[in-house]
Amino acid sequence: MKEEWFFLFISYFGEEGNSIRYRYVINCLDLELAGIVEFDKSLKKIDYKDSKELIKQLNEKRIREIKAMDKGVTKNNELYVMLTVYYVLNYYHMLYRFPYETGYINPLNSDEYFKHKDLIDQSMDRFRKNREIEKNLKIK
């Protein structure tokens, strides 16, 4: 993986039938640069921690990239599509609901955290501000 440190920001983007959509972007909160992934809600029943299972779901079109993240941000969209689905499902299994917004910091180079502390602080402020939206979101 080229990026040793990254912050993955994930934001709910809607539902249609049995599918749910999320926007995802790395190292910023600018959703104009974000990609969009759609996946079947039934994936909450699979072993999402098994990378082979996630790849199988991608091949079976139960995970679909709707829009790629801006090329200026990354050229490795498939990785972030998979990570987005993984972290949304992980959140679901921890709290028994899909997230409104969430984020993930790749811990491979923890020294980089302090170089990006402002971004992390901004995201935490945003998550706290949107907590009520998440509580009222009726995604099951």
Side-chain angles (χ1 to χ4, degrees), residues 125-137:
D125 288 344
R126 183 176 173 139
F127 296 153
R128 282 189 283 278
K129 184 177 123 189
N130 290 330
R131 188 172 291 151
E132 283 305 310
I133 295 171
E134 182 164 346
K135 285 180 184 174
N136 295 325
L137 197 61

Side-chain angles (χ1 to χ4, degrees), residues 27-74:
N27 301 337
C28 69
L29 300 177
D30 187 352
L31 293 174
E32 294 295 319
L33 302 174
I36 300 170
V37 62
E38 178 180 71
F39 61 92
D40 296 352
K41 289 184 205 175
S42 63
L43 293 186
K44 62 188 176 188
K45 297 176 184 169
I46 68 164
D47 180 9
Y48 69 94
K49 293 181 179 181
D50 180 358
S51 59
K52 290 178 184 169
E53 182 64 28
L54 283 177
I55 291 168
K56 176 183 165 195
Q57 300 305 321
L58 184 68
N59 291 337
E60 291 178 0
K61 307 288 187 216
R62 294 180 69 203
I63 299 172
R64 300 165 292 283
E65 180 182 59
I66 304 300
K67 176 186 170 233
M69 198 180 336
D70 188 272
K71 286 183 175 33
V73 179
T74 187

Side-chain angles (χ1 to χ4, degrees), residues 71-86:
K71 286 183 175 33
V73 179
T74 187
K75 292 182 173 86
N76 196 0
N77 271 298
E78 190 170 284
L79 169 67
Y80 296 110
V81 164
M82 301 300 277
L83 287 175
T84 298
V85 173
Y86 172 86

Side-chain angles (χ1 to χ4, degrees), residues 21 79 95 103 110 115 135 139:
R21 288 184 176 187
L79 169 67
L95 300 175
S110 57
K115 292 179 185 175
K135 285 180 184 174
I139 310 170

Side-chain angles (χ1 to χ4, degrees), residues 4-16:
E4 283 190 14
W5 186 95
F6 64 85
F7 169 70
L8 176 62
F9 178 65
I10 302 167
S11 182
Y12 172 76
F13 195 58
E15 308 176 61
E16 189 173 310

